[in-house]
Amino acid sequence: RKESSAASDVYKRQHLSHMAEDFSDIDWQALLTVKSWPQRYKLLVRWGSRLEQKPHIHEEAFLVKGCESKAWFQHQSQGDQHYFLIDSHSNIIKGLSVLLLVWFNGKTREEIASINVIERYEQLGLQKQLSPSRMNGFVALLNAFEASVAGEL
């Protein structure tokens, strides 16, 4: 998405690759070993708590449409690699966002296209446990990722 306000102008000179959190220590497949949904939920929320607050992207231009909880999303590419910033008021949306960041941040368009996110979410059993509004929020975020990588945002 294009940066438009004075608040974002401050960050224009910095590339997102320098501002994005490092989640390389998170093994998303660890969720597969957690048997109960309450424990998986707690782990997702713990991962989401690592997302730093990003008030500089709390603008209408970065607001994710279709997400019941407010969530903001920013994308930039550097060469072939794509970088993302996300913020939300919802702890579970933050946790779900961390999964997307683990899978997509710093990857090329081809690497991102090769990831079957829906299959991974089914593997994790999240579609069975998340409320329809949370699933809608996840799908809205996923759509924002995919559209930005495709150059539509």
Side-chain angles (χ1 to χ4, degrees), residues 52-112:
E52 296 175 15
Q53 291 184 2
K54 300 170 193 72
H56 61 279
I57 67 171
H58 289 201
E59 300 178 24
E60 188 66 30
F62 302 124
L63 193 62
V64 177
K65 308 295 186 245
C67 194
E68 186 174 303
S69 301
K70 287 196 173 192
W72 297 269
F73 170 87
Q74 188 179 15
H75 165 261
Q76 236 178 28
S77 58
Q78 181 176 14
D80 290 343
Q81 294 178 303
H82 295 269
Y83 296 92
F84 309 90
L85 294 180
I86 298 178
D87 199 6
S88 177
H89 294 309
S90 165
N91 292 329
I92 191 63
I93 291 297
K94 285 182 176 183
L96 296 169
S97 297
V98 167
L99 283 177
L100 293 171
L101 291 170
V102 165
W103 295 333
F104 295 153
N105 224 19
K107 303 285 193 303
T108 65
R109 181 185 305 228
E110 292 75 23
E111 289 171 317
I112 292 169

Side-chain angles (χ1 to χ4, degrees), residues 28 96-105 111-127 130 135 137-143 145-146:
W28 70 271
L96 296 169
S97 297
V98 167
L99 283 177
L100 293 171
L101 291 170
V102 165
W103 295 333
F104 295 153
N105 224 19
E111 289 171 317
I112 292 169
S114 72
I115 298 169
N116 187 334
V117 175
I118 300 302
E119 181 180 286
R120 288 183 180 187
Y121 265 67
E122 288 173 357
Q123 257 186 310
L124 295 171
L126 297 177
Q127 82 288 357
L130 294 174
M135 268 312 286
F138 161 70
V139 170
L141 274 170
L142 179 58
N143 289 340
F145 271 88
E146 291 174 342

Side-chain angles (χ1 to χ4, degrees), residues 1 8 11 21 23 31 36 39-40 42 70 94 100 106 109 112 137 147:
R1 296 183 179 196
S8 333
Y11 295 91
E21 293 97 339
F23 296 114
L31 281 174
S36 75
Q39 292 302 97
R40 280 187 189 184
K42 283 181 185 177
K70 287 196 173 192
K94 285 182 176 183
L100 293 171
R109 181 185 305 228
I112 292 169

Side-chain angles (χ1 to χ4, degrees), residues 22-40:
D22 180 13
F23 296 114
S24 60
D25 62 315
I26 291 180
D27 176 11
W28 70 271
Q29 292 178 320
L31 281 174
L32 294 170
T33 64
V34 179
K35 298 300 179 201
S36 75
W37 170 244
Q39 292 302 97
R40 280 187 189 184

